[in-house]
Amino acid sequence: MGPSSEGRLAAALELAATFLLEVLGGAGAVWGSSEFLGVRRGNNATAWRLVSGCVGLWCLLRWIGVHALGRERNASDEVLACFLLQVLGGAGAAAASSRWPSSWPSSPAGNGPASSGRSRRARGAAAAGDAAPRRGAASSGARRRAAAAAAERAATFVLDVGGGAGALWGAAEVCYLRRGWGDARYGQPSFDFWRYWCAATFVLCFGRWATSELAPPQKDARSSSTELTAGGAC
């Protein structure tokens, strides 16, 4: 496969990723967030399916204009897309992640080196006088920057990885492709089928996210859904 073929393949995969996150993700965001917020129940599921379908159609038209036809982004559309795909999309991803089976590692309760770090700072203050407060201020600024970077990375993980699998999970239910409790065997065969697809989507989205976030990327080449959907509007 030559360089031009690799470039076309990469462009096609990126286009597929934007379709998943921005079109299916739009419909899934409304569907999943309505469940997450407790406003979608069995007696109004058809109405929410209609709303989600209309939102998905709007997202499809936006995606065609921006990514397929290369039209300039409209600022008001991008503000709406930003809210839909980042705010509602985050809630929808959380709702979907609670439905299809996945294991999330728990963070340790303690911060082991904290006490030793404090004692080292105390020894430094005794040895260097007022140098410790300056080091403490610099350390505090570094911690804030690290916390902000970690929060940004966590947000892109939720939107780009959890949101990718959640988009497929929600859109399949919106389109009646995934069955529910009222169907034969409580829809369990359909649930299992789509769980496999969501797991594969999760792995692919994680690979894309890791390539963008964990490898040292060029900032202007980064293509997470946060930047794709915001378009400078957020």
Side-chain angles (χ1 to χ4, degrees):
M1 182 180 293
S4 59
S5 299
E6 292 179 358
R8 286 195 295 269
L9 178 60
L13 292 175
E14 187 62 26
L15 193 63
T18 62
F19 180 84
L20 171 68
L21 294 170
E22 300 184 26
V23 180
L24 300 185
V30 175
W31 184 256
S33 62
S34 64
E35 179 184 14
F36 183 81
L37 298 174
V39 295
R40 175 166 60 83
R41 300 178 178 87
N43 58 351
N44 62 3
T46 301
W48 278 106
R49 184 172 273 111
L50 179 61
V51 171
S52 300
C54 291
V55 171
L57 178 60
W58 176 81
C59 291
L60 175 62
L61 296 176
R62 172 185 172 272
W63 179 85
I64 291 174
V66 172
H67 297 287
L69 302 180
R71 293 176 180 172
E72 185 177 356
R73 296 174 185 265
N74 181 277
S76 58
D77 288 348
E78 294 308 304
V79 170
L80 178 58
C82 178
F83 174 80
L84 172 67
L85 298 174
Q86 295 189 26
V87 180
L88 298 185
S97 297
S98 68
R99 298 290 299 277
W100 69 279
S102 58
S103 299
W104 301 100
S106 57
S107 58
N111 297 320
S115 60
S116 61
R118 284 194 294 269
S119 63
R120 285 195 297 271
R121 286 195 296 272
R123 289 195 297 270
D130 63 347
R134 291 195 296 270
R135 286 197 302 272
S139 177
S140 177
R143 285 196 298 270
R144 285 195 297 268
R145 288 190 296 271
E152 173 70 16
R153 186 162 291 174
T156 59
F157 180 86
V158 170
L159 295 173
D160 292 358
V161 183
L168 184 62
W169 182 258
E173 188 173 7
V174 170
C175 298
Y176 289 101
L177 297 176
R178 180 165 59 80
R179 301 301 179 180
W181 290 102
D183 296 295
R185 297 176 60 186
Y186 303 102
Q188 190 62 48
S190 176
F191 268 50
D192 292 339
F193 174 82
W194 284 103
R195 281 190 183 104
Y196 290 130
W197 281 101
C198 287
T201 301
F202 184 92
V203 171
L204 292 175
C205 289
F206 178 80
R208 176 178 176 268
W209 175 83
T211 301
S212 174
E213 294 290 337
L214 302 183
Q218 296 291 332
K219 180 61 180 175
D220 56 355
R222 181 177 176 272
S223 58
S224 71
S225 64
T226 305
E227 294 184 357
L228 286 170
T229 58
C234 294

